[in-house]
Amino acid sequence: MPEPIEVRKIPLQHVSDASGLEQLITGGAIEADRVIAVIGKTEGNGGVNDYTRILADRAFREVLVARGTRTAEQVGQIPIVWSGGTDGVLCPHATVFAAAAGAAGAGAAAAGATGDGATGTHCDQPRLSVGVSMSEPLLPEDIGRIPMVEKVAAGVRVAMRQAGITDPRDVHYVQTKTPLLTTHTIADARRRGQSVFTEQTGESMDVSNGTTALGVAVGLGEIQMPAADAIMRDRGLFSEVASCSSGVELDRAQIVVLGNVAGIGGRYRIGHGVMRDALDQDGIWLAIASAGLPLPDRPRPADLDNRLVNLFMKCEADPTGVVRGRRNAMLDDSDVHWHRQIKACVGGVAAAVSGDPAVFVSVSAVHQGPAGGGPVAAIVDLSER
């Protein structure tokens, strides 16, 4: 039985600020050696050359090494997924996932219990579990092609098993980070006599994300293995729970699977929904309700009662250039890339729902939810108060 999970959201005061993580550790909220994964937003440009992700990654790993007993190599295996770009009102922040302090064996012990004295929750009810894995190395020629789908799908299954999840329907969020193409890796493929899906490094970000999402969908049984020519083309193929990011700082898929497991104990639960377009607040509220938080028919941020830990969502500009019958110019704008425009838009919608601009909104959502929309996951605190 996996262990109960502690989840905390912390702000970043600057691009290499890990003081919030250090305070969680020194204050006893979590233990450095029990951190499982981190998912965060940095204030960079979100592009190929967004090195704020590397700075934040280094800062967090240095704290985990300094405050724990794991070696730098061991800490290097922890999935720390950074999505660059906090356009609009979005706030740089990180969500830290750790096995609850002193919880070794608590999940198994609690399986038949009626309550958890530490948290006041009912331990036989499904609660948040997290599993992580690293895929096999992803070669430049894999990106955008079936080998990448296969490698990601295999990694998703490993992470599910680690989380103790046997039914894919209990998975509500899969966050990944994968490599994209750079001039260096494209040249490497050429030297080995290999071709690549695209030689446009910026485009390769969308390609890496979309191909990875299909791997998640295959791994969870949401779709069958797609044909090679469906990748980045058949928008009817998608995952409802995949959130895929890419960058230059790794050579394989970092995979974090989040779902609910009965008997694990703890106070957090996760749910998911789907935004059908950039303005679909109902999709966000559906995710929150799916996590088990009771809501009125017409909810407002005050109804969340400070129980929403965070929202995690993907978004993209509708490829038709239309939202609810109204034309927009995001895809034709040569001054500000549509990545930044749609991120600011959906970030504003999410912040209006949650009442908190520190929400995880990531762009480039091909094969992640329906065209023009995207998946939404919500983690809530269900402890008795």
Side-chain angles (χ1 to χ4, degrees):
M1 177 69 70
E3 297 176 327
I5 300 297
E6 184 63 38
V7 189
R8 296 295 177 97
K9 182 168 67 176
I10 52 177
L12 272 63
Q13 302 303 331
H14 52 79
V15 295
S16 57
D17 175 33
S19 62
L21 174 62
E22 189 151 22
Q23 289 167 11
L24 286 178
I25 296 169
T26 58
I30 62 173
E31 295 176 9
D33 288 345
R34 298 173 73 78
V35 171
I36 299 169
V38 177
I39 300 173
K41 292 292 299 182
T42 68
E43 61 208 77
N45 60 24
V48 174
N49 67 334
D50 184 352
Y51 296 107
T52 65
R53 298 183 299 236
I54 297 175
L55 294 172
D57 187 88
R58 179 181 300 168
F60 270 60
R61 293 187 194 278
E62 286 176 351
V63 168
L64 292 178
V65 171
R67 292 293 180 178
T69 63
R70 289 184 286 193
T71 66
E73 182 177 1
Q74 290 171 324
V75 168
Q77 297 302 307
I78 300 171
I80 299 183
V81 180
W82 295 105
S83 170
T86 49
D87 304 88
V89 298
L90 289 174
C91 170
H93 71 281
T95 305
V96 181
F97 300 87
T114 59
D116 179 344
T119 63
T121 61
H122 294 282
C123 292
D124 57 346
Q125 296 299 310
R127 290 293 183 264
L128 177 67
S129 185
V130 179
V132 303
S133 71
M134 294 280 193
S135 76
E136 293 181 24
L138 292 165
L139 303 174
E141 58 266 31
D142 292 340
I143 296 172
R145 294 173 175 155
I146 294 300
M148 185 175 194
V149 177
E150 294 172 335
K151 291 177 181 179
V152 170
V156 167
R157 297 184 188 110
V158 170
M160 269 186 62
R161 289 195 294 271
Q162 188 188 95
I165 299 172
T166 57
D167 187 342
R169 292 174 296 182
D170 291 326
V171 175
H172 294 278
Y173 178 43
V174 181
Q175 178 64 56
T176 66
K177 189 78 175 188
T178 51
L180 45 74
L181 292 169
T182 66
T183 54
H184 173 74
T185 57
I186 293 170
D188 172 65
R190 285 177 181 160
R191 281 193 298 270
R192 293 182 289 102
Q194 301 294 325
S195 65
V196 293
F197 187 94
T198 177
E199 295 193 359
Q200 301 299 314
T201 58
E203 179 189 4
S204 77
M205 177 180 293
D206 293 358
V207 174
S208 181
N209 292 355
T211 312
T212 301
L214 291 176
V216 173
V218 170
L220 296 178
E222 294 177 281
I223 64 170
Q224 299 298 312
M225 181 64 68
D229 61 2
I231 297 174
M232 302 302 292
R233 295 183 180 91
D234 186 349
R235 300 299 294 271
L237 298 176
F238 60 83
S239 170
E240 291 194 354
V241 297
S243 174
C244 305
S245 294
S246 52
V248 299
E249 61 267 33
L250 69 174
D251 65 355
R252 62 192 69 206
Q254 294 182 337
I255 301 167
V256 185
V257 168
L258 296 92
N260 296 315
V261 173
I264 190 175
R267 57 191 176 123
Y268 302 100
R269 187 168 175 175
I270 188 170
H272 79 274
V274 174
M275 290 182 75
R276 297 297 168 183
D277 61 32
L279 303 178
D280 185 12
Q281 293 189 31
D282 289 344
I284 302 175
W285 286 116
L286 176 63
I288 297 169
S290 169
L293 192 64
L295 296 170
D297 290 338
R298 294 181 62 84
R300 301 177 301 167
D303 296 315
L304 297 173
D305 192 27
N306 293 318
R307 291 181 178 272
L308 178 64
V309 179
N310 209 356
L311 293 170
F312 305 85
M313 49 211 307
K314 291 293 291 190
C315 64
E316 65 167 354
D318 194 300
T320 66
V322 174
V323 175
R324 301 197 180 183
R326 301 290 190 181
R327 183 177 70 90
N328 65 74
M330 278 188 285
L331 295 173
D332 297 321
D333 194 331
S334 298
D335 295 314
V336 181
H337 196 278
W338 68 263
H339 277 195
R340 310 201 73 165
Q341 296 191 46
I342 192 64
K343 195 185 306 176
C345 169
V346 174
V349 173
V353 167
S354 66
D356 183 359
V359 289
F360 184 91
V361 179
S362 177
V363 76
S364 181
V366 177
H367 299 310
Q368 297 151 81
V376 185
I379 296 176
V380 301
D381 181 348
L382 295 180
S383 60
E384 295 176 2
R385 298 183 178 180

